[in-house]
Amino acid sequence: MSAVSELYEQALAVRTCAYIPYSKFAVGAAIMSASGKIYTGCNVENVSYPCGTCAEAGAIAAMNAAGERLIQDIVVVADSSSLISPCGACLQRIFEFSDKNTKIHLADLAGVKKTYTIAELLPAAFDEKELRR
Ligand code: THU
């Protein structure tokens, strides 16, 4: 099985754990880090809506909790008639832990449909350079 297929399977599996009483919209994310390990996350909603977290945020937190900082590939899967892209906040989160070789794979229940770099999805990211005046 290719790395992306393995990631897709894990993203699909973790999606079933999504806590989505409000939106009923389940999302799964699976990251392969630079070391080749896999970290997963699902969306976890809250009755106080802004407290909810996206699937990508969960996977990124798990990667960091293991001491890793670089995303090699990330698969995001949802059941949607039009393919979902990570939300703006999650694109910024992915940007923080990406390089130019990082691949963002967008998937539905049939499989991975499109692959992008972070520069394609977030061309004007707020960069660490902006902190230096
Ligand atoms: N959601 C994600 O988990 N990732 C995304 O990239 C887009 C949106 C979640 C947040 C919320 O729980 C539900 O999908 C509907 O917005």
Side-chain angles (χ1 to χ4, degrees):
M1 195 188 273
S2 78
V4 175
S5 310
E6 172 65 18
L7 273 188
Y8 175 71
E9 292 305 321
Q10 295 223 19
L12 262 189
V14 74
R15 179 177 170 275
T16 65
C17 300
Y19 176 71
I20 48 164
Y22 309 106
S23 74
K24 318 276 189 226
F25 189 75
V27 185
I31 287 172
M32 181 162 288
S33 66
S35 75
K37 293 203 181 117
I38 294 177
Y39 303 96
T40 62
C42 57
N43 49 334
V44 180
E45 297 182 348
N46 192 283
V47 64
S48 175
Y49 293 179
C51 295
T53 50
C54 286
E56 297 90 326
I60 288 170
M63 181 185 79
N64 276 271
E68 295 216 55
R69 304 283 185 239
L70 182 59
I71 301 170
Q72 184 180 292
D73 293 272
I74 178 168
V75 170
V76 181
V77 62
D79 182 10
S80 179
S81 50
S82 60
L83 210 51
I84 74 151
S85 171
C87 72
C90 284
L91 288 174
Q92 187 71 37
R93 291 187 179 101
I94 293 167
F95 173 79
E96 186 76 20
F97 300 104
S98 292
D99 67 13
K100 63 179 185 353
N101 299 315
T102 298
K103 299 283 186 299
I104 302 163
H105 308 279
L106 308 183
D108 61 19
L109 298 190
V112 170
K113 294 287 171 63
K114 286 194 170 161
T115 298
Y116 296 98
T117 63
I118 190 65
E120 288 173 315
L121 294 180
L122 192 65
F126 181 65
D127 192 272
E128 176 259 335
K129 287 194 290 297
E130 261 96 47
L131 295 179
R132 293 188 234 116
R133 286 178 287 157

